[in-house]
Amino acid sequence: MNTTVVGKNLRKVDGFKLVTGGAAFTDDVLLPGMLYGKILPSPYAHARIKRIDTSKAKALPGVHAVLTYKDVPRVPHTTAGQAWPEPSPYDTYLLDSKVRFVGDRVAAVAAESRALAEQALRLIDVDYEVLPAVLDMEAAMDAGAPVIHDEPDSTKIFDREHNIAAHIRREIGNVDDGFREADFIFEREYRTQRQQHCMLEPHVTICWLDGDGRLMIRTSTQVPYHCRRQVAMILQIPVSRVRVIKPRIGGGFGGKQEMLLEDICSALALATRRPVKIEYTREEEFYMARSRHPQILRMKMGVKRDGTVVASHLQVLATTGAYGSHASTVQGNTGSKVLPLYRAPHLRFECDVVYTNTPVAGAFRGYGCPQGFFAQESLADEIAYKLGMDPVEFHRKNAIRLGDVDKLSAQLGEGKEGLPRVIRSCGLPECVKRGAAAIDWDRKRQSLPARAGFVKHGVGMSCTMQGSGIAGIDWAASFLKMNEDGSFFLQVGASDVGAGADTVLAQIAAETLGVSLGKIIVTSGDTDFTPFDTGAYASSTTIISGGAVKKAAEKVRAQVLGVAAKMLAVPVENLACAKDEVFTTTKPRKSVSMAEVALQALYQEKLQIMDGASHYNTDSPPPFCATFAEVAVDTQTGRVRVVHLATAVDPGVAINPMQAEGQVEGAVTQGLGFALSEELMLNHTGWPMNPNFLDYKIFSAKDMPKLTTILVETEEPLGPYGAKSVSEVPINGVAPAIANAIFHAVGVRIRKLPIRPEDMLRALYEQQPELKPEEALVTQ
Amino acid sequence: MFDRVEAFYRPESVPEVLRLLQRSKGQARMVAGGTDLVVEGDRSVRFLIDLTRAGLTYIRSRDTTCVIGATTTLADLEESTAIHALAGGLLSRAAAACGSVQNRNLATLGGNLAHGSPAADMATPLLALDASVVVADGEGRHKMPLAEYFGRAWQNGASHALLIEVRVPMPPQNGRCGWSFQKFGRTEVDLSLVNAAAGLQLDARGRVKWARLALGAVAAAPFRALPVESLMAGREFDHSLLAEAGEEVMREVQPIADLRASEEFRRELSRVVAGRALEECAARAGCSL
């Protein structure tokens, strides 16, 4: 593609501000008279508040408000930042008389300092009736298990008596028939853990009333528009009285696709008529924010003797914690984005998402896929091994390809029926080829593991996919207007959360308008000044918001050309724009600069060149990814060191390859932690045991393996300039590629994450290493 | 974090530090690098006494002893040529294994020892090197073996005693000597689940003249595994000796179980890590198994 701005490694449009430490983030402002808000977390996993006395806290000088459930409206809602009507259950309250996990909101205070706020919390006197709690997801549906949502006003809960927030059962073809056709059937159980986002910037919100008494919310969010709608609904004020401002964001990874502090911070601002800030500490972030849904997955696959997959059946038990935020949709993805990777005609997905008295799960990069792919790609490796096939060959034979129609997606949409997925671009075969070459697959599969030494090396791989926006639901709008100097204001509702959306969207506008990147000034994520956007999630921004920008830019370009046509006295059809000017495409060559066009329009024609556009897609083109890992397993200590991780991704066209590579590297880093070290642990009373970076181990620079990142570009017809997405898909394949590499190294299968040294060593002691492929096949 | 702190003192001499400690009646904490103290976030602290200007940052190499001031940073130890020359750079290697670059630029040797963590990575190599420490209190300066320092109640930084310096006797230079530091954490930047420092001298026929082994994080305080040392003395260094030493290590350690690891795993790791330390010593002494 012949482009001048798109596809180039241009610097982030907001980069200068970020690296020079200018006022950029939510917490970089200090408002006069600002109070500090603080939430009293429940010390019990499940309890009813029998009596709550706030008089001592209120009497403390410097304390301006203490709120309990008695002081605020009771409006059942979900905190999931999803398009209205949200598919998640309405089971959450601003404050409630019942608490459902350790960390649940009991009360909130606003005081003149953080220390005073903390002191006030200690002065709140609460009598709890402690209720039996259920922490284990496998016990949540049992008869006699405590009912977590026994309140009558919650809605959209699948089966409250059995703590089932959501239930899914979908089938393509006939899986039972499929298994009868199979020569071999494999079935295994996999378990995944509670992982936390650990974004650099914790959740932080500042709320105040402006001169007109409107509620201003400056907040670290991925979803400004959903947040505005939800806060207005919960506080029962008109949407027009609320403005959400999204400044620069220090990472979200899904944790900020959530209305988490905005409601309570707003309530405190309204109660005190003063600015109020609430910022989670790192500790609070771990258990009072959101995390990845832990799952138990039973994966069953039927294959022909030649390795052809005929049927897959995935059964999932997941817990959403105490509230059902993203319960059905994350788990829906575990089926809909995972099973169709293989072209089997018979697919079945069954899932129960249960409530437990544990921290609330939510959206997290990969959105259900890392769990699903860990199961599927581990089992695929096992099957390939048992059939004596190279896993690369197994994928070549079975993976979805160009022109295929994924029918499961038609059944599993965003909490309802979705739309079928047609594969219009697919770089997966090339990803596999180039990833394999990068890790020296063919040679290492043969030569490893070396016999001598207690450190064993092995290589493993996996293939994964994702989506690009939610088909038929995600949509975005954008607006452009021209200035005298030939620059353009670009206004988008899209939320750059640090990943570089502003830059990519500006590149799309600049390319379409024929101007340099510096001529696009972006304002994003402000509900008063930018048009609607569903938000930064589901890998949607480049394809959906970018689509809206391209459309608006095309309309504006037409206006520019219209003015230029008059100035140059040539027909519009003979004009084009590039390099900040409009020129004739026919001889003789004549041109006017963009600035001249702007001056002409503004002062002669009395015309503001401006226009906006809306955009959505009815399909969600999948980006593809092949992940290859080389590991070194220390068989004496159980330490698994990833030596090399090669990730080949098909993101469509990379609008900014440098940023796309950054996304891949960030995703695999979180994937490495998911595979090997990260887990938020709870004790038997539901208390978080490691809400800190001392004992919750994320990957540091020293832990990182050699990374190879390969972009395999394809041209997606539904994407602006051929783009799909890149932010989520690379996280999905890391854990299974590592688990498969471990098997190659030591002949032991690990089916539970994370694979910590102690877990690895235990498995080496307990499992009989499997090193002979000719071992008996499991048949039915 | 330190909401209650009323004063942050920056004394410029040891007597001044001691005076401030005396006056603050147990409500002061000494701070050097702050890498432990800040994380701890003790809300009862009213006064902080910064030690970094009290003249305790130095490394002095003498004929028989190397003297290291308490506020010498781990980064200093990592880079100092004098420390590189001591016991094959054992202390430099141990320092380099602590935390991240950012931690090591702040963290001090004195802080690492005085904080009293059983997992302190500098403790085991210093124990193996027979180091002693000098502490000062209202009654003057006292020198004592490091092992004794760990045993005393004043190891806690909140006490009225100030760790002044660490004195490391120069180990024998002649003959086939080797030193090693090994640690194991859950990830590369982590508290040690086990750390071990060892030293070994082999005679011309490959027999152990003397062995030293110190273990950390597997008992209430870091300790010298004396039974292992005496078991090895005079024996030929080979696989069976290593296996015997490993068995003895597993008897010596008293690890805890917590969310970081089980007791069983720590015990097993002790054997492996100590074995690797001894093996590395022998290899450095010219005997590779």
Side-chain angles (χ1 to χ4, degrees):
Chain A
M1 203 188 303
N2 191 13
T3 55
T4 55
V5 189
V6 158
K8 306 294 177 212
N9 287 331
L10 299 173
R11 285 193 199 153
K12 280 171 75 103
V13 295
D14 54 341
F16 188 80
K17 177 164 62 182
L18 298 177
V19 299
T20 54
F25 297 97
T26 300
D27 195 30
D28 286 340
V29 300
L30 188 63
L31 300 176
M34 189 165 79
L35 303 173
Y36 296 81
K38 195 88 190 160
I39 295 164
L40 180 65
S42 166
Y44 299 108
H46 200 189
R48 223 175 279 286
I49 299 171
K50 283 203 300 194
R51 189 186 61 87
I52 184 162
D53 180 358
T54 59
S55 55
K56 272 187 245 157
K58 279 180 178 159
L60 185 69
V63 172
H64 290 254
V66 183
L67 300 179
T68 71
Y69 69 93
K70 297 172 190 165
D71 308 303
V72 296
R74 182 177 173 87
V75 179
H77 64 272
T78 177
T79 56
Q82 301 175 307
W84 183 85
E86 304 93 332
S88 299
Y90 280 17
D91 58 5
T92 310
Y93 303 85
L94 180 49
L95 288 161
D96 197 0
S97 57
K98 190 181 175 190
V99 286
R100 299 175 181 83
F101 70 101
V102 172
D104 205 355
R105 290 176 184 175
V106 175
V109 303
E112 282 168 20
S113 72
R114 193 168 301 158
L116 273 173
E118 285 169 7
Q119 202 184 336
L121 291 187
R122 287 191 289 273
L123 293 173
I124 298 173
D125 198 6
V126 194
D127 270 354
Y128 294 97
E129 178 197 349
V130 179
L131 304 170
V134 57
L135 303 172
D136 176 2
M137 67 169 122
E138 289 176 280
M141 293 185 286
D142 289 355
V147 177
I148 296 172
H149 286 279
D150 53 353
E151 68 283 355
D153 45 352
S154 297
T155 57
K156 299 196 252 187
I157 296 174
F158 178 76
D159 176 0
R160 70 179 69 229
E161 294 307 314
H162 296 94
N163 292 316
I164 307 173
H167 172 79
I168 304 165
R169 190 184 189 285
R170 296 283 187 277
E171 185 161 350
I172 297 295
N174 185 319
V175 167
D176 296 328
D177 287 349
F179 284 129
R180 276 190 285 274
E181 287 169 33
D183 293 323
F184 306 110
I185 293 169
F186 297 84
E187 187 173 3
R188 294 280 184 252
E189 187 182 285
Y190 301 87
R191 285 171 185 249
T192 66
Q193 77 280 30
R194 188 174 276 108
Q195 184 189 22
Q196 220 273 335
H197 309 74
C198 301
M199 62 289 265
L200 270 177
E201 180 203 33
H203 285 82
V204 53
T205 300
I206 302 175
C207 298
W208 71 96
L209 302 178
D210 76 353
D212 299 317
R214 292 176 73 226
L215 176 64
M216 305 286 118
I217 305 176
R218 179 182 167 93
T219 187
S220 183
T221 183
Q222 295 173 228
V223 284
Y225 273 92
H226 295 331
C227 179
R228 179 179 73 162
R229 187 192 73 241
Q230 291 174 326
V231 169
M233 182 185 82
I234 293 162
L235 297 175
Q236 302 182 323
I237 53 180
V239 163
S240 61
R241 301 293 290 168
V242 183
R243 173 184 173 195
V244 174
I245 305 158
K246 178 215 71 79
R248 298 294 91 194
I249 306 296
F253 312 119
K256 293 170 183 172
Q257 192 200 342
E258 199 81 13
M259 193 281 311
L260 193 67
L261 294 176
E262 292 88 351
D263 58 342
I264 192 76
C265 194
S266 297
L268 288 169
L270 289 170
T272 59
R273 315 298 289 181
R274 283 175 64 162
V276 178
K277 175 173 88 175
I278 305 184
E279 180 178 21
Y280 269 167
T281 62
R282 182 56 64 184
E283 182 176 320
E284 289 168 337
E285 190 65 41
F286 270 107
Y287 69 105
M288 293 167 75
R290 299 291 177 259
S291 46
R292 193 183 295 288
H293 292 81
Q295 292 187 356
I296 299 170
L297 308 100
R298 273 206 87 77
M299 180 91 208
K300 187 172 171 185
M301 284 169 91
V303 292
K304 292 285 201 190
R305 207 170 290 279
D306 68 355
T308 307
V309 181
V310 285
S312 296
H313 179 197
L314 176 58
Q315 283 173 285
V316 172
L317 175 64
T319 182
T320 183
Y323 299 96
S325 175
H326 299 271
S328 63
T329 45
V330 161
Q331 271 60 231
N333 247 23
T334 304
S336 70
K337 299 261 192 308
V338 174
L339 295 176
L341 182 77
Y342 298 127
R343 312 173 79 205
H346 310 289
L347 304 174
R348 187 192 295 152
F349 178 65
E350 286 175 284
C351 178
D352 284 305
V353 191
V354 296
Y355 290 113
T356 48
N357 296 110
T358 60
V360 185
F364 192 163
R365 194 179 215 160
Y367 208 75
C369 292
Q371 299 98 314
F373 277 117
F374 173 59
Q376 177 166 292
E377 291 304 284
S378 295
L379 189 60
D381 191 80
E382 196 165 341
I383 294 171
Y385 176 77
K386 293 266 171 86
L387 296 177
M389 267 177 100
D390 187 320
V392 162
E393 184 50 36
F394 183 87
H395 283 95
R396 235 175 243 146
K397 197 175 191 73
N398 288 299
I400 194 166
R401 57 198 64 164
L402 199 65
D404 280 358
V405 179
D406 152 22
K407 297 190 195 100
L408 190 62
S409 287
Q411 290 211 12
L412 258 175
E414 177 86 344
K416 55 178 184 182
E417 300 261 304
L419 297 158
R421 263 212 301 198
V422 181
I423 307 303
R424 297 176 182 85
S425 62
C426 179
L428 187 57
E430 184 71 7
C431 288
V432 171
K433 202 172 124 196
R434 293 183 58 191
I439 206 122
D440 198 6
W441 176 261
D442 291 336
R443 194 180 64 79
K444 286 185 172 157
R445 277 304 271 196
Q446 297 305 320
S447 65
L448 298 177
R451 245 167 238 289
F454 54 81
V455 177
K456 303 285 185 195
H457 285 246
V459 289
M461 60 91 64
S462 65
C463 288
T464 57
M465 59 182 184
Q466 195 84 31
S468 304
I470 306 167
I473 289 184
D474 283 344
W475 77 275
S478 78
F479 189 81
L480 273 158
K481 65 177 179 182
M482 193 178 202
N483 302 311
E484 278 105 321
D485 60 354
S487 67
F488 296 85
F489 282 133
L490 170 61
Q491 290 153 349
V492 287
S495 299
D496 188 334
V497 289
D502 283 5
T503 307
V504 162
L505 298 178
Q507 281 179 271
I508 290 170
E511 183 69 45
T512 312
L513 290 163
V515 298
S516 50
L517 185 62
K519 292 285 194 234
I520 307 291
I521 293 92
V522 188
T523 303
S524 62
D526 182 326
T527 58
D528 269 18
F529 296 109
T530 65
F532 186 86
D533 193 297
T534 43
Y537 57 87
S539 295
S540 64
T541 302
T542 302
I543 194 163
I544 301 293
S545 310
V549 169
K550 185 158 183 275
K551 275 187 189 171
E554 282 163 354
K555 288 175 159 181
V556 166
R557 184 180 59 194
Q559 294 180 24
V560 168
L561 296 184
V563 173
K566 280 195 209 166
M567 293 169 77
L568 296 171
V570 291
V572 168
E573 304 80 60
N574 295 352
L575 289 175
C577 44
K579 295 186 177 167
D580 295 306
E581 61 173 24
V582 181
F583 54 90
T584 54
T585 51
T586 50
K587 299 230 159 127
R589 189 180 194 280
K590 292 195 280 184
S591 68
V592 279
S593 72
M594 281 284 174
E596 286 164 342
V597 173
L599 286 169
Q600 175 74 19
L602 285 168
Y603 296 104
Q604 303 302 322
E605 310 257 334
K606 313 287 187 285
L607 170 73
Q608 169 70 67
I609 292 179
M610 61 177 173
D611 216 332
S614 302
H615 182 71
Y616 74 101
N617 276 339
T618 52
D619 203 343
S620 176
F624 294 96
C625 180
T627 309
F628 287 80
E630 178 179 346
V631 301
V633 182
D634 184 329
T635 55
Q636 294 181 337
T637 63
R639 160 68 49 79
V640 176
R641 256 201 89 89
V642 182
V643 178
H644 186 186
L645 190 68
T647 312
V649 184
D650 158 22
V653 166
I655 303 293
N656 187 320
M658 179 172 65
Q659 284 192 173
E661 284 169 19
Q663 288 276 299
V664 176
E665 288 170 7
V668 301
T669 306
Q670 284 182 314
L672 284 161
F674 181 60
L676 294 174
S677 60
E678 296 184 39
E679 178 174 16
L680 181 64
M681 298 159 86
L682 306 177
N683 73 6
H684 66 284
T685 57
W687 275 77
M689 291 161 77
N690 56 341
N692 54 64
F693 287 132
L694 179 62
D695 284 317
Y696 182 97
K697 305 304 288 185
I698 58 172
F699 260 56
S700 71
K702 250 180 151 177
D703 296 292
M704 287 303 290
K706 173 184 169 189
L707 296 184
T708 302
T709 299
I710 301 160
L711 299 181
V712 174
E713 294 189 80
T714 59
E715 229 178 295
E716 171 54 46
L718 295 185
Y721 294 101
K724 291 192 279 191
S725 67
V726 69
S727 57
E728 294 186 271
V729 72
I731 199 174
N732 295 336
V734 183
I738 289 172
N740 297 339
I742 289 172
F743 178 77
H744 185 224
V746 294
V748 163
R749 291 274 174 205
I750 311 282
R751 301 191 181 91
K752 181 172 171 288
L753 299 179
I755 309 167
R756 286 166 295 219
E758 182 163 0
D759 306 311
M760 184 69 235
L761 193 65
R762 214 170 277 285
L764 282 166
Y765 271 91
E766 287 169 2
Q767 285 187 36
Q768 210 50 259
E770 224 183 288
L771 288 167
K772 290 201 185 68
E774 58 270 24
E775 195 164 318
L777 290 163
V778 187
T779 54
Q780 186 181 284
Chain B
M1 196 172 296
F2 291 114
D3 299 328
R4 305 280 167 82
V5 169
E6 293 162 30
F8 185 86
Y9 298 108
R10 309 194 79 178
E12 302 204 344
S13 70
V14 170
E16 215 184 314
V17 174
L18 295 173
R19 254 198 315 279
L20 286 165
L21 279 173
Q22 204 98 47
R23 268 193 279 147
S24 57
K25 298 185 172 61
Q27 290 176 302
R29 290 289 295 270
M30 290 182 271
V31 55
T35 53
D36 284 317
L37 191 75
V38 173
V39 177
E40 203 179 298
D42 181 350
R43 288 177 185 283
S44 68
V45 179
R46 285 180 62 201
F47 309 105
L48 287 172
I49 304 170
D50 177 12
L51 304 177
T52 55
R53 294 184 170 194
L56 297 176
T57 305
Y58 52 81
I59 297 169
R60 292 181 196 128
S61 220
R62 304 196 184 115
D63 291 345
T64 56
T65 323
C66 181
V67 184
I68 308 167
T71 56
T72 304
T73 65
L74 299 184
D76 292 339
L77 294 178
E78 214 179 328
E79 283 150 27
S80 153
T81 46
I83 299 299
H84 276 276
L86 182 72
L90 176 65
L91 290 177
S92 305
R93 282 184 272 139
C98 292
S100 62
V101 175
Q102 293 84 347
N103 292 143
R104 297 196 293 275
N105 284 338
L106 289 167
T108 63
L109 177 62
N112 193 252
L113 300 175
H115 188 63
S117 162
D121 284 329
M122 297 313 296
T124 42
L126 288 169
L127 283 172
L129 287 166
D130 272 333
S132 51
V133 296
V134 175
V135 297
D137 59 19
E139 283 137 41
R141 295 193 176 202
H142 321 272
K143 185 180 166 203
M144 68 188 77
L146 182 59
E148 188 184 329
Y149 176 75
F150 286 131
R152 299 256 182 134
W154 63 28
Q155 63 182 255
N156 189 318
S159 81
H160 285 223
L162 170 66
L163 180 63
I164 301 285
E165 63 189 25
V166 177
R167 296 187 183 178
V168 187
M170 292 289 185
Q173 298 278 349
N174 58 328
R176 298 163 63 190
C177 277
W179 297 88
S180 170
F181 176 78
Q182 296 278 339
K183 78 174 264 185
F184 187 89
R186 293 162 294 181
T187 56
E188 291 296 322
V189 179
D190 193 13
L191 295 175
S192 289
L193 288 182
V194 182
N195 62 40
L200 206 65
Q201 187 173 7
L202 300 178
D203 67 15
R205 292 190 304 177
R207 280 186 313 210
V208 177
K209 279 181 85 171
W210 51 261
R212 293 183 191 169
L213 177 65
L215 290 160
V218 282
F223 68 99
R224 279 278 286 273
L226 298 173
V228 180
E229 296 178 7
S230 53
L231 170 130
M232 294 182 73
R235 298 271 302 274
E236 190 181 334
F237 190 86
D238 57 14
H239 283 293
S240 78
L241 179 64
L242 261 185
E244 266 182 67
E247 291 302 313
E248 187 59 37
V249 164
M250 287 176 82
R251 279 192 287 273
E252 288 274 296
V253 296
Q254 293 174 299
I256 57 160
D258 63 10
L259 80 160
R260 292 171 192 150
S262 68
E263 182 192 333
E264 190 186 15
F265 184 55
R266 283 184 164 101
R267 201 176 285 279
E268 174 65 14
L269 278 178
S270 310
R271 185 180 67 79
V272 173
V273 169
R276 286 181 184 181
L278 292 167
E279 212 175 324
E280 189 192 345
C281 291
R284 283 174 181 269
C287 168
S288 292
L289 290 181

